Amino acid sequence: MSPVTEPNPTRPPLSARPPSGPLVAPATPAPPPTRHRLTVPLLAVILLSLIPALVLAWQRVQFEQAQKTVALVMDYPAMAVQAQRVGLTPQQLLDRYKALGVNGAAVYDDVIGNLVQRGEIYEKRGADLAAENPGSGANPQWVYLRSLKPGVAEALPQRYTIPTREVTIAGQKWVGWPTDPDFLPAGPPRDILASLKAQGMVIVYRPYDDEALREPGADWPAVPFVAFTGDEVIGARTPERLEKIDERLGNRLPAIIENSEQLGLDTLVETHGGARMFALNPSWQNRIGPEATASKYALAARERGQRLLYLRPFPTVYETEQFLRRTSDLLQRSGVKVGDPVVRPFQPNDTLRVLSLFGPLAALVLLGLSFPLPRLGLAVAGLAALAAVGLNGGRPFESAALIAAITFPALGLVLRRSKVTDWFLATGLSLVGVLFVSALGANRDSVLGLEPFRGVGLTLLVPLVFVGLSFLPRQDIRQTARDLYHTPLRLGDIAVMALGLAVFALVFLRRGNTSSVGVSSTEAQVRQDLQDTIIRPRFKELAGHPLAIVGLSGVLPGYFSLLLILGGVIGQASILNTFSHFHTPLLISAARCFIGLGVGLLLGLIAIPVLNYALRLWTTFGTRRPVREREVQA
């Protein structure tokens, strides 16, 4: 027999043919960066500026470590209502809650209606009084008050600008009001406050406002904290009135309620400082239950710098006690103490901040000069700097913090991106950027959460633009534009681009603590479990770091490696984004960052051999093995 041969002798055997198709296209190399003569001097400026940034970081850590005491403040009126429903006195129920960690109480202003309920005054509608006493002159449209506790009703009119009238009807003295006075603020409940103070409770006073008050704030009790109700502080709409409140606040600290912007609060905080306070809406609290509520309160104390945890009872005592036990347990695990919080403002050294400012500027110039097209790089860098300054109203420290946040995530991947170990350089530069963001962006207002980081969206978008533009070939930009215009697109290319844009849109919309795109119940449960046991890493980093590592390995052909490197920029940008939440303690952000880096590195190193195997299987599956010559017989 003659040997078996390929029917077409000019065609190579299948096993010898180079595979074809988009999944096996040759790798698309990115152009190397420009090595400018200023690279070394600029790196030196960055390193020198890093020294004051490190000092500022250490000072911030020391400050935050001294601020790890919180007060568990129970809403006293809500608790008193619950006590009445279960047949207990407010003090009896408070004692049960104190045994589970509660060490504070929030007390509201009395209103005239409270005085009626407590039997200190008697209220009668004018229509009823006139019907019972014809010809007495009682106005049917008025409301009349009479003292049951001597002098109470007669003392009330001097508190308000409302014109009242004292009348005697059927031998009894009444004070007539032209409007319903039930909800007028009547001053602090001094008996309750005295009892709570005697027990050593942390008091949060919640005054009511009314335009009819003559001297708001004149009779406030001596308490450490004041939490205003509603959407504005007392006097926010009248400068003279707000000035009086600012003066009468004295040594009391205003509470900065999480996710509740109150008009005029910034004026009071500017003078007195403030204490961050966390609270949940009662209906939302009841919906998610004690376990999830406790998790949120512990997270607020551990990771958001909240010093006052404002608690409201659940519908049942059993649920409330379950919630308090879980909260106390999670706080203890986190190293957060329950006690009397001593709040002082964070005051960074401005001289050190000025010295730190040169680092981000040098990094931005170095980034622009390192582009394959340096003129394009410098132009883009200049526009980014102008945008950062504009977003921050020309303030130098905040502008430089934003420049650091958009520059350092891209710098490493522009300088070097040819092998897996370049990921370590990119990550190291991102961590350098972290120190500059903290040094320049952390101040009293940002640590209190009053001044959010401006340009959070840019921290995700601009680094992608920087790295993407660095992929442009080293040629006339007009020729590149013509080449791009004439590049044929396949359906697969369009699908890949659409998928990439969809993923980026999802990441962009879900930035920050609150976003326009929610999470599934499964993801919410995973997040809660993680944050109750460890410091939860950011999912953008768990995905972004493996993408960068796989992209730098070159395991994927064609332009896929470049796309994965762009995806990896999200991971680097997320590092800076994590540290831009200045109300989160620096060590907490560092722990979240390094957990994400460790897990991301591990996933990336695992993904490389897995993808190698998958690609070999894809390209060889179904092909005939080469026939060994000794097995072919005539």
Side-chain angles (χ1 to χ4, degrees), residues 189-375:
R190 300 197 177 276
D191 292 343
I192 294 174
L193 286 168
S195 174
L196 294 172
K197 285 183 179 181
Q199 299 173 57
M201 303 287 281
V202 177
I203 308 297
V204 176
Y205 182 56
R206 307 211 66 184
Y208 291 127
D209 187 22
D210 195 289
E211 284 297 316
L213 278 172
R214 291 184 187 275
E215 297 293 339
D219 57 355
W220 284 355
V223 297
F225 305 104
V226 173
F228 295 96
T229 60
D231 297 329
E232 56 190 52
V233 306
I234 295 176
R237 297 180 180 275
T238 309
E240 296 82 4
R241 195 178 177 89
L242 183 59
E243 186 177 350
K244 283 186 178 181
I245 293 298
D246 193 18
E247 178 183 347
R248 288 169 178 170
L249 198 57
N251 295 326
R252 307 172 187 91
L253 287 180
I256 303 167
I257 305 172
E258 178 84 345
N259 297 324
S260 178
E261 294 185 7
Q262 294 181 305
L263 183 66
L265 182 63
D266 54 341
T267 300
L268 304 182
V269 173
E270 182 68 27
T271 305
H272 304 274
R276 286 173 59 79
M277 186 172 83
F278 181 78
L280 284 183
N281 181 281
S283 61
W284 175 248
Q285 169 182 302
N286 295 339
R287 183 183 305 174
I288 64 177
E291 292 288 324
T293 301
S295 177
K296 293 184 182 298
Y297 274 93
L299 180 70
R302 183 183 72 231
E303 300 186 15
R304 297 183 188 170
Q306 305 289 347
R307 309 302 307 281
L308 304 173
L309 301 185
Y310 194 94
L311 315 177
R312 293 183 175 93
F314 279 83
T316 66
V317 173
Y318 170 77
E319 290 174 299
T320 308
E321 291 181 333
Q322 184 184 13
F323 158 61
L324 292 175
R325 287 192 190 95
R326 181 63 173 165
T327 301
S328 297
D329 179 54
L330 291 175
L331 290 176
Q332 186 176 8
R333 283 196 231 167
S334 304
V336 177
K337 298 178 181 178
V338 176
D340 189 352
V342 178
V343 183
R344 59 186 181 88
F346 177 64
Q347 296 176 327
N349 184 291
D350 283 344
T351 301
L352 293 177
R353 297 177 82 192
V354 170
L355 295 175
S356 300
L357 189 145
F358 295 98
L361 300 180
L364 185 63
V365 174
L366 175 60
L367 179 71
L369 292 175
S370 300
F371 270 55
L373 299 174
R375 291 182 180 178

Side-chain angles (χ1 to χ4, degrees), residues 48-129:
L48 288 174
S49 296
L50 193 60
I51 297 173
L54 280 167
V55 175
L56 286 167
W58 173 248
Q59 291 176 350
R60 180 179 166 191
V61 169
Q62 288 183 311
F63 167 81
E64 290 167 345
Q65 289 298 101
Q67 304 286 304
K68 295 184 70 173
T69 302
V70 301
L72 298 182
V73 180
M74 179 62 72
D75 185 298
Y76 190 88
M79 186 208 64
V81 171
Q82 187 183 53
Q84 292 171 352
R85 291 177 177 174
V86 297
L88 298 173
T89 66
Q91 186 59 52
Q92 288 173 329
L93 187 56
L94 179 60
D95 288 339
R96 290 176 61 170
Y97 291 160
K98 284 169 61 179
L100 298 174
V102 171
N103 71 322
V107 180
Y108 288 78
D109 254 340
D110 262 337
V111 293
I112 291 180
N114 295 142
L115 306 182
V116 175
Q117 291 176 353
R118 291 204 297 265
E120 297 183 24
I121 57 178
Y122 180 63
E123 180 183 86
K124 204 169 188 68
R125 300 292 163 178
D128 295 333
L129 193 60

Side-chain angles (χ1 to χ4, degrees), residues 299-490:
L299 180 70
R302 183 183 72 231
E303 300 186 15
R304 297 183 188 170
Q306 305 289 347
R307 309 302 307 281
L308 304 173
L309 301 185
Y310 194 94
L311 315 177
R312 293 183 175 93
F314 279 83
T316 66
V317 173
Y318 170 77
E319 290 174 299
T320 308
E321 291 181 333
Q322 184 184 13
F323 158 61
L324 292 175
R325 287 192 190 95
R326 181 63 173 165
T327 301
S328 297
D329 179 54
L330 291 175
L331 290 176
Q332 186 176 8
R333 283 196 231 167
S334 304
V336 177
K337 298 178 181 178
V338 176
D340 189 352
V342 178
V343 183
R344 59 186 181 88
F346 177 64
Q347 296 176 327
N349 184 291
D350 283 344
T351 301
L352 293 177
R353 297 177 82 192
V354 170
L355 295 175
S356 300
L357 189 145
F358 295 98
L361 300 180
L364 185 63
V365 174
L366 175 60
L367 179 71
L369 292 175
S370 300
F371 270 55
L373 299 174
R375 291 182 180 178
L376 173 65
L378 289 175
V380 173
L383 290 175
L386 289 175
V389 173
L391 278 173
N392 287 280
R395 293 177 296 176
F397 296 140
E398 290 77 5
S399 301
L402 179 54
I403 289 173
I406 62 178
T407 301
F408 282 97
L411 185 57
L413 292 174
V414 170
L415 291 176
R416 288 173 55 181
R417 50 180 179 227
S418 59
K419 52 185 181 297
V420 172
T421 53
D422 291 340
W423 177 82
F424 293 96
L425 172 66
T427 301
L429 286 172
S430 294
L431 294 176
V432 168
V434 160
L435 293 169
F436 287 118
V437 168
S438 174
L440 297 165
N443 54 43
R444 187 192 66 172
D445 289 345
S446 63
V447 168
L448 287 173
L450 289 174
E451 187 178 279
F453 189 80
R454 298 181 184 275
V456 172
L458 292 182
T459 63
L460 295 176
L461 176 62
V462 175
L464 276 174
V465 173
F466 281 154
V467 177
L469 291 177
S470 73
F471 290 158
L472 295 177
R474 189 175 276 111
Q475 64 180 15
D476 192 313
I477 190 68
R478 293 169 295 180
Q479 181 60 42
T480 301
R482 285 191 290 267
D483 293 343
L484 289 174
Y485 181 79
H486 293 293
T487 298
L489 289 179
R490 296 167 294 188

